[in-house]
């Protein structure tokens, strides 16, 4: 691969944006997550738009969200904020001297993805770095792989926020390995629309695709890990709070609006309960993240700020081994598989290099209509074939 150019692209405004020059503080939701860059890869077969056309579209798109052209900075209290200073988005253009078909097979990369996206800086080096970084990789056949790394912004004690969203007494801790690449393997499991329909029929009550697939993945992972029957296992489930808040927050709100639910069961119950029982455990945990909980979280943050308390997020560092637990994110509502730059949707969408064992991401499939891809980070010696079979050992939930 050969990088031909690197440009700091500035957005195009028809009129000055009202946030121009502002110092935008991170919200409490932002502060409950880690300051990290997340790489995403979109694959487009030829023919594709020119790089110039893509860059022109990017200039106009970023103008709507000028935070992306800003920079992370630190105030006098040592807290991070976004300076909307219009310094621009990093765009790298590169040529790859092979055909795309030799690199992507069955919608997955069979070659190393290193170098396909800009190097991700560690959190301690993110101050002053472009928050959105895009690399346009042109393959010999004319195929295009746009990759981006984007920084996600990262009486009130009715609920224990101090040990749930932030580190405090009683929080869970996990081992961390120094070299995740040597211990953790990223694999993709594809669920077809037919499999999902059969799984929902097994649940026997109305449920979302995410809920039934998470119940399935929780069962299969618990079985593969060989946990003791009495051992507890929990799932940290990201919950979109926009519609759950009172009043609801508009979908176009820029920034994090995520909290977490924690369904928790003994291994014997995850394996022994019916799919319906496990789905209900997940649903009940998610339902607890309601308007009252969200308001309590915000009130907790106000009290902490008034007391000048510095809060430390419980989000896991790279190399975390979650076993016996899981952490799960769903991107099923984002429809990445429909992003069309004018010549058709992508043939593959990849979230490479998941750094933590037990981390799972659900994505809409780019090629299997109505299907779902589960990308997960597992120990290298674990078998994934079991994920394609339904659990026949289930018994009624007690």
């Amino acid at each position: 691969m050969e990088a031909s150019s690197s440009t700091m692209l500035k957005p195009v405004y028809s009129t000055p944006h009202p946030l121009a020059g502002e110092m935008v503080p991170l919200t409490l939701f932002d502060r409950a997550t880690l300051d990290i860059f997340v790489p995403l890869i979109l694959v487009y077969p030829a023919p594709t738009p020119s790089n110039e056309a893509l860059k022109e579209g990017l200039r106009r798109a970023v103008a709507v969200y000028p935070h992306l052209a800003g920079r992370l900075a630190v105030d006098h209290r040592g807290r991070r904020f976004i300076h909307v200073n219009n310094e621009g988005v990093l765009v790298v253009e590169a040529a790859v001297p092979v055909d795309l078909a030799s690199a992507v097979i069955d919608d997955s990369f069979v070659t190393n993805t290193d170098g396909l996206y800009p190097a991700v800086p560690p959190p301690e080096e993110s101050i002053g770095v472009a928050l959105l970084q895009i690399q346009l990789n042109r393959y010999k056949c004319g195929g295009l792989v746009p990759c981006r790394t984007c920084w996600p912004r990262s009486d009130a004690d009715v609920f224990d926020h101090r040990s749930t969203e932030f580190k405090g007494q009683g929080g869970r801790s996990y081992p961390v390995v120094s070299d995740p690449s040597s211990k953790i393997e990223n694999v993709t499991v594809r669920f077809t629309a037919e499999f999902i329909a059969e799984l929902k029929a097994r649940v026997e009550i109305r449920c979302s695709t995410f809920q039934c697939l998470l119940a399935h993945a929780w069962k299969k992972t618990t079985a593969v890990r060989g946990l003791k029957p009495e051992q507890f296992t929990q799932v940290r489930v990201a919950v979109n709070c926009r519609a759950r808040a009172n009043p609801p927050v508009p979908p176009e709100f820029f920034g994090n609006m995520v909290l977490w639910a924690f369904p928790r069961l003994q291994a014997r119950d995850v394996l022994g309960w019916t799919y319906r029982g496990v789905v209900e455990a997940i649903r009940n945990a998610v339902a607890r993240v309601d308007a009252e909980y969200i308001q309590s979280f915000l009130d907790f943050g106000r009290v902490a700020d008034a007391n000048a308390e510095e809060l430390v997020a419980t989000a896991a560092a790279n190399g975390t081994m979650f076993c016996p637990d899981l952490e799960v994110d769903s991107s099923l509502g984002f429809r990445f598989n429909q992003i069309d730059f004018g010549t058709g949707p992508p043939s593959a969408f990849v979230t490479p290099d998941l750094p933590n064992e037990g981390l799972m991401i659900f994505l809409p499939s780019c090629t299997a209509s109505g299907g779902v891809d589960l990308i997960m980070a597992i120990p290298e010696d674990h078998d994934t074939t079991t994920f394609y079979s339904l659990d026949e050992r289930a018994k009624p939930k007690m």
Side-chain angles (χ1 to χ4, degrees):
M1 179 184 301
E2 183 177 330
S4 58
S5 70
S6 179
T7 307
M8 202 62 70
L9 207 67
K10 295 182 181 293
V12 174
Y13 300 104
S14 55
T15 58
H17 196 281
L19 284 178
E22 289 290 321
M23 311 287 193
V24 180
L26 302 187
T27 70
L28 188 64
F29 291 94
D30 298 330
R31 288 154 56 195
T33 67
L34 290 179
D35 294 336
I36 59 173
F37 283 81
V38 177
L40 305 172
I41 300 178
L42 289 161
V43 179
Y44 292 87
T48 57
S50 68
N51 285 5
E52 288 307 312
L54 290 170
K55 289 191 290 185
E56 180 59 27
L58 179 62
R59 287 189 184 96
R60 298 182 183 279
V62 175
V64 182
Y65 297 105
H67 311 69
L68 293 173
R71 294 295 183 269
L72 199 62
V74 179
D75 66 13
H76 66 283
R77 297 175 58 184
R79 286 190 174 177
R80 298 185 171 200
F81 65 91
I82 293 180
H83 186 193
V84 187
N85 57 11
N86 202 39
E87 286 196 13
V89 172
L90 176 65
V91 178
V92 177
E93 299 174 65
V96 186
V98 298
D99 288 339
L100 187 58
S102 66
V104 181
I105 298 175
D106 292 332
D107 312 325
S108 298
F109 275 89
V110 294
T111 56
N112 199 308
T113 58
D114 290 348
L116 287 182
Y117 54 87
V120 177
E124 62 272 15
E125 297 178 12
S126 59
I127 301 299
V129 175
L131 297 182
L132 176 60
Q133 304 181 11
I134 294 177
Q135 184 164 320
L136 302 174
N137 300 286
R138 289 283 173 184
Y139 283 73
K140 188 172 66 173
C141 60
L144 172 69
V145 175
C147 307
R148 72 168 190 170
T149 55
C150 185
W151 180 80
R153 303 189 306 175
S154 55
D155 170 45
D157 290 330
V158 176
F159 302 99
D160 187 15
H161 302 290
R162 197 176 303 281
S163 297
T164 303
E165 291 86 11
F166 299 99
K167 290 183 180 179
Q169 297 296 326
R172 293 171 80 90
S173 60
Y174 302 95
V176 178
V177 297
S178 57
D179 183 12
S181 62
S182 66
K183 302 286 186 179
I184 301 171
E185 178 184 9
N186 283 199
V187 298
T188 299
V189 175
R190 174 157 301 149
F191 300 110
T192 64
E194 293 75 19
F195 183 92
I196 295 170
E198 184 180 355
L199 189 57
K200 286 185 175 181
R202 181 68 63 90
V203 175
E204 297 179 332
I205 58 173
R206 185 170 182 174
C207 67
S208 68
T209 296
F210 171 71
Q211 290 168 350
C212 74
L213 286 178
L214 175 53
H216 181 71
W218 196 5
K219 280 177 170 287
K220 296 303 181 182
T221 304
T222 300
V224 169
R225 283 170 164 174
L227 304 182
K228 295 179 179 179
E230 69 278 6
Q231 191 168 5
F232 278 95
T233 169
Q234 77 175 17
V235 186
R236 178 182 167 107
V237 182
V239 179
N240 184 354
C241 294
R242 283 169 167 78
R244 294 171 180 266
N246 185 19
V249 175
E252 62 271 17
F253 168 75
F254 182 86
N256 291 301
M257 192 73 182
V258 171
L259 293 176
W260 296 272
F262 296 89
R264 184 171 183 261
L265 295 172
Q266 287 182 305
R268 62 162 61 95
D269 294 333
V270 175
L271 296 175
W273 283 2
T274 62
Y275 278 93
R276 174 174 178 167
V278 178
V279 164
E280 287 180 336
I282 295 168
R283 178 179 292 172
N284 291 340
V286 171
R288 296 187 191 106
V289 185
D290 55 11
E292 180 185 6
Y293 187 89
I294 295 168
Q295 188 59 55
S296 170
F297 175 73
L298 294 172
D299 292 343
F300 166 80
R302 293 190 187 98
V303 171
D305 285 347
N307 294 332
E309 180 181 358
E310 294 302 323
L311 300 172
V312 180
T314 56
N318 287 359
T320 297
M321 307 294 283
F322 282 125
C323 184
D325 297 339
L326 297 171
E327 181 166 327
V328 179
D329 297 324
S330 173
S331 295
L332 297 180
F334 289 114
R335 315 314 297 177
F336 290 111
N337 59 334
Q338 297 176 5
I339 298 176
D340 188 342
F341 294 126
T343 58
S347 62
F349 174 74
V350 181
T351 56
D353 304 330
L354 299 185
N356 298 328
E357 181 272 336
L359 176 59
M360 297 183 170
I361 300 178
F362 288 98
L363 302 166
S365 174
C366 286
T367 55
S369 178
V372 171
D373 288 348
L374 169 59
I375 302 177
M376 53 186 176
I378 61 175
E380 291 183 328
D381 58 348
H382 279 196
D383 181 21
T384 61
T385 57
T386 181
F387 279 79
Y388 295 104
S389 62
L390 290 174
D391 195 333
E392 298 297 338
R393 296 176 299 160
K395 64 186 181 187
K397 172 186 172 185
M398 303 302 291

